Amino acid sequence: MTEQFEHGYSIGTNNLGLDLVRATEAAALAAARWVGRGQKESGDGAAVDAMRAVLGGVRMDGVIVIGEGEKDEAPMLHNGEKVGTGQGPKVDIAVDPVDGTRLLALGMRNSIAVLAAAEGGTMYNPTMCFYMDKLAVGPEAADVIDIEAPIEDNIRKVAKAKGKRPEDVVVAVLNRDRHEELTNAIRAAGARTRMYTDGDVAASVAAASESVKNIDILAGVGGSPEGVVSACAMKALGGRIMAKLWPTSDEERQRTIDAGLDVDRVLDTNDLVSSENTLFVASGITDGDLVDGVHYMPNGGARTHSVVMRSSSGTIRFIEAFHHLDKLNRHAEASGQKLHEL
């Protein structure tokens, strides 16, 4: 990826960030037809097909390091799959065609299509350990957090770093029974919680983004793949994510150890992605804190809203695009795909 990142982020005459945002836009458009229909597998499958079709034409020698993976028994965009034309720089790719499948199925906020990229060989691969305990913050508090410290200590330090009172700090937490003790401790410290149903990546990035003012910290156990994707965004935002693998059973713990991973190790941002040259791309499926969702137009078109973050320059671009769906469908059908049909 040397050429791509040392000289801007062009590969030849192509802009990798804009090529990749086409993939998340396609995934969002495909998944949006399933919003509120109660069928998360159908929405996720449509997004996977659409994203894969676009990635196949991107000029790169890409490999999926973080994909749909073993947990989802995915036939496409699986870990280890080659993507791109095979020409150009070697690129590690992490994908989550629908971050928040349940949000999509229920028609709730903060479902996004997301993709991250880094130089080949620089992404951490959590293999068979599906969950991580995570702590993420923005640049103001990046130097003060400690995942092994009590959450009360982290709240106090983040509040001081951001010039707030502890009672003004908002901590995003996944709404799961396993977090009852965590949420009680947050509230006992005087801070507030913002519970979210799903959408691990969106919540992590929101905690580090200056454009989202109502979340200061993300804390708790969520997906391991999403932790690696979030780390790519942290590189551009100047934020920090700390994590520890969280096996859900003795069997999973042993599989993780057998794979050569230390389940007790504290993983910092640089451990999750060691490259300083990363891209984070997301397109909204439903409206959310980070980006707006797909909006259909009276003329049969659709509007997408996306963000492209580049770590080497710290550039963050928001892209609003308008799509003529009939033309997209004709192009997709010619390629053997049906991106926008139920």
Side-chain angles (χ1 to χ4, degrees):
M1 224 175 203
T2 304
E3 175 189 3
Q4 189 257 322
F5 285 109
E6 285 187 353
H7 306 289
Y9 61 131
S10 294
I11 304 174
T13 59
N14 295 322
N15 180 316
L16 182 59
L18 295 184
D19 284 339
L20 295 180
V21 81
R22 287 174 49 241
T24 58
E25 285 173 350
L29 286 165
R33 291 295 192 187
W34 295 94
V35 169
R37 294 179 179 270
Q39 301 179 51
K40 64 180 184 180
E41 292 84 3
S42 297
D44 189 52
V48 169
D49 290 346
M51 180 177 282
R52 186 172 184 261
V54 175
L55 285 178
V58 176
R59 186 181 178 275
M60 64 180 177
D61 183 6
V63 61
I64 302 291
V65 176
I66 304 293
E68 292 290 271
E70 298 288 341
K71 181 183 174 185
D72 299 312
E73 299 180 353
M76 292 189 297
L77 293 182
H78 56 77
N79 297 4
E81 182 176 349
K82 291 281 190 177
V83 291
T85 63
Q87 299 176 328
K90 293 186 180 299
V91 185
D92 282 354
I93 298 290
V95 299
D96 198 348
V98 180
D99 178 44
T101 54
R102 180 160 33 188
L103 303 177
L104 181 153
L106 298 177
M108 298 174 67
R109 289 173 54 85
N110 283 317
S111 181
I112 60 175
V114 65
L115 185 154
E119 293 171 299
T122 63
M123 277 187 185
Y124 180 77
N125 186 352
T127 60
M128 297 302 295
C129 193
F130 302 135
Y131 295 96
M132 286 177 173
D133 188 16
K134 290 178 273 191
L135 189 68
V137 296
E140 305 97 326
D143 295 333
V144 304
I145 61 169
D146 179 0
I147 195 170
E148 295 193 301
I151 190 64
E152 306 94 295
D153 291 354
N154 283 297
I155 289 169
R156 186 178 66 255
K157 289 178 179 178
V158 170
K160 183 178 180 181
K162 299 186 76 170
K164 293 185 172 186
R165 301 174 302 170
E167 52 264 40
D168 294 325
V169 170
V170 178
V171 184
V173 181
L174 187 64
N175 190 12
R176 298 290 188 271
D177 291 342
R178 62 177 176 260
H179 289 146
E180 181 178 0
E181 183 177 342
L182 173 63
T183 55
N184 287 340
I186 292 167
R187 292 162 184 164
R192 292 175 287 160
T193 58
R194 179 164 180 185
M195 310 304 292
Y196 61 101
T197 306
D198 292 284
D200 213 339
V201 174
S204 295
V205 176
S209 176
E210 292 183 358
S211 65
V212 181
K213 303 297 185 184
N214 53 359
I215 299 177
D216 299 289
I217 305 171
L218 171 120
V221 175
S224 294
E226 289 84 351
V228 178
V229 173
S230 298
C232 291
M234 296 296 158
K235 292 284 182 123
L237 292 166
R240 184 181 186 186
I241 181 169
M242 301 183 74
K244 293 183 72 173
L245 294 174
W246 199 78
T248 58
S249 66
D250 291 340
E251 180 184 1
E252 185 178 346
R253 182 182 179 87
Q254 190 59 52
R255 285 202 310 266
T256 303
I257 294 170
D258 291 343
L261 301 181
D262 183 352
V263 295
D264 298 316
R265 178 187 177 190
V266 173
L267 300 165
D268 216 322
T269 309
N270 286 331
D271 298 311
L272 297 172
V273 57
S274 59
S275 174
E276 294 304 318
N277 302 316
T278 66
L279 288 165
F280 172 88
V281 183
S283 298
I285 300 171
T286 60
D287 287 346
D289 296 318
L290 185 62
V291 285
D292 293 335
V294 175
H295 287 231
Y296 294 101
M297 316 301 289
N299 63 0
R303 187 199 73 180
T304 57
H305 190 222
S306 306
V307 61
V308 180
M309 302 181 184
R310 179 166 62 112
S311 69
S312 59
S313 65
T315 303
I316 301 171
R317 287 185 171 88
F318 288 92
I319 300 171
E320 187 176 47
F322 294 86
H323 307 265
H324 193 299
L325 295 184
D326 287 341
K327 290 182 179 179
L328 284 174
N329 279 326
R330 286 197 296 270
H331 175 74
E333 289 170 2
S335 304
Q337 303 287 336
K338 294 186 178 180
L339 305 187
H340 312 293
E341 293 182 3
L342 290 178

